[in-house]
Amino acid sequence: MSVYQEIERKERSYLQARAQEQAERGYHAKIKLCGLKRECDIAQANELLVDYIGLVFAPRSKRYVSAEQAAALKAKLRPEIQAVGVFVDADPAEIVKLYAAGTIDVVQLHGHEEEIYLGHLRQALANAVCERQKLMASSKFPTCPKIFKAFSVKTEADVALAQASSADFVLLDAGAGGTGTSFDWELASRCTRPYFLAGGLDPQNVVSAISALHPYGVDVSSGIESEGLKDLDKMRAFVTGVRSAS
């Protein structure tokens, strides 16, 4: 056995032991890789078997995908992985159409959507469940999709808004999303409901973030990119870091 093989063996052994330790503690941080645009991005997410991938439908984003592109990417995605549609102040009808077509499984709102918007959207999505069932090959009846709501965290008041949201999960971020900047994690520690931590995460800091905060999940986009595209090595390093820490 070469020196490199021995190092790899020890690394696998360590990660397996850490994974078992975390399993006994019952904590595994969910992983969402956001802003995927290429088939190779999906292939890597499939190999890593993450929990969620994000498809961005905000036209102003450099990570924007059309409904047609998104459908093609979703067709390549392993069924165990949920596709999250990311929207910014979108027409609810657009969201419902993508859900009913089976293109997305979860909705993430990243704009100025208020509680009345969430209520109307949730009802519209519930009405679309039967329509989606007709398009699915599986006999399993789909459930109403979860709604994630992102909050830009700058003060304790922002945390209080997240705490009070009717969304199924909240996402604590530094700003508009996908900027690669972080916020004061001390504020996140004051959120007592399950949340996704986002903003400025990368393979170098995700272990310390999880160790300090134990978020329900982590969301990354720019932190796994090189020159504006998803970096497959960084994707792997990020996921390895999350799983070593949770």
Side-chain angles (χ1 to χ4, degrees), residues 33 44 47-48 203 224 231-243:
L33 305 181
Q44 182 73 318
E47 181 181 335
L48 296 170
I224 52 172
D231 183 314
L232 305 187
D233 291 330
K234 287 184 179 180
M235 291 170 72
R236 181 179 297 280
F238 184 87
V239 171
T240 298
V242 175
R243 289 177 175 156

Side-chain angles (χ1 to χ4, degrees), residues 115 118 151 157-167 170 191 193:
E115 283 296 308
L118 267 68
F151 289 86
D158 297 324
V159 177
L161 285 174
Q163 286 274 109
S165 175
S166 65
V170 295
C191 187
R193 65 180 290 179

Side-chain angles (χ1 to χ4, degrees), residues 28-43:
H28 297 284
K30 302 293 185 182
I31 302 171
K32 176 171 171 276
L33 305 181
C34 199
L36 276 56
K37 293 182 61 175
R38 304 172 298 170
E39 285 190 11
C40 61
D41 301 338
I42 298 295

Side-chain angles (χ1 to χ4, degrees), residues 52 82-87 99 104-108 145-148:
Y52 305 93
Q82 292 193 292
V84 180
V86 180
F87 303 90
Y99 167 72
I104 61 173
D105 307 300
V106 178
V107 175
Q108 180 174 316
K146 294 287 190 290
I147 297 177
F148 297 175

Side-chain angles (χ1 to χ4, degrees), residues 49-242:
L49 194 54
V50 297
D51 301 286
Y52 305 93
I53 61 101
L55 301 172
V56 178
F57 295 96
R60 294 185 179 182
S61 171
K62 63 183 180 181
R63 303 177 182 92
Y64 169 78
V65 292
S66 67
E68 294 74 22
Q69 289 172 310
L73 293 172
K74 177 63 186 300
K76 302 286 185 182
L77 189 67
R78 289 179 63 159
E80 304 98 313
I81 302 174
Q82 292 193 292
V84 180
V86 180
F87 303 90
V88 177
D89 300 322
D91 183 341
E94 174 192 355
I95 299 174
V96 171
K97 184 176 180 180
L98 287 164
Y99 167 72
T103 303
I104 61 173
D105 307 300
V106 178
V107 175
Q108 180 174 316
L109 305 176
H110 232 294
H112 302 88
E113 302 88 359
E114 297 182 348
E115 283 296 308
I116 191 169
Y117 178 103
L118 267 68
H120 290 159
L121 176 61
R122 196 182 296 279
Q123 183 59 56
L125 289 167
N127 293 339
V129 167
C130 290
E131 183 178 349
R132 176 170 171 135
Q133 170 65 12
K134 296 174 185 176
L135 298 175
M136 294 177 63
S138 171
S139 59
K140 183 179 179 181
F141 198 78
T143 58
C144 192
K146 294 287 190 290
I147 297 177
F148 297 175
K149 179 71 179 80
F151 289 86
S152 176
V153 178
K154 295 181 174 64
T155 67
E156 289 187 25
D158 297 324
V159 177
L161 285 174
Q163 286 274 109
S165 175
S166 65
D168 297 289
F169 289 100
V170 295
L171 186 146
L172 306 184
D173 204 344
T179 62
T181 57
S182 59
F183 64 96
D184 182 2
W185 288 347
E186 173 61 28
L187 292 171
S189 69
R190 301 176 190 182
C191 187
T192 58
R193 65 180 290 179
Y195 65 89
F196 282 80
L197 181 67
L201 292 176
D202 58 39
Q204 284 69 48
N205 65 15
V206 71
V207 172
S208 59
I210 290 175
S211 299
L213 298 171
H214 303 289
Y216 176 81
V218 289
D219 186 318
V220 64
S221 186
S222 60
I224 52 172
E225 291 179 345
S226 294
E227 300 180 355
L229 295 173
K230 290 296 181 281
D231 183 314
L232 305 187
D233 291 330
K234 287 184 179 180
M235 291 170 72
R236 181 179 297 280
F238 184 87
V239 171
T240 298
V242 175

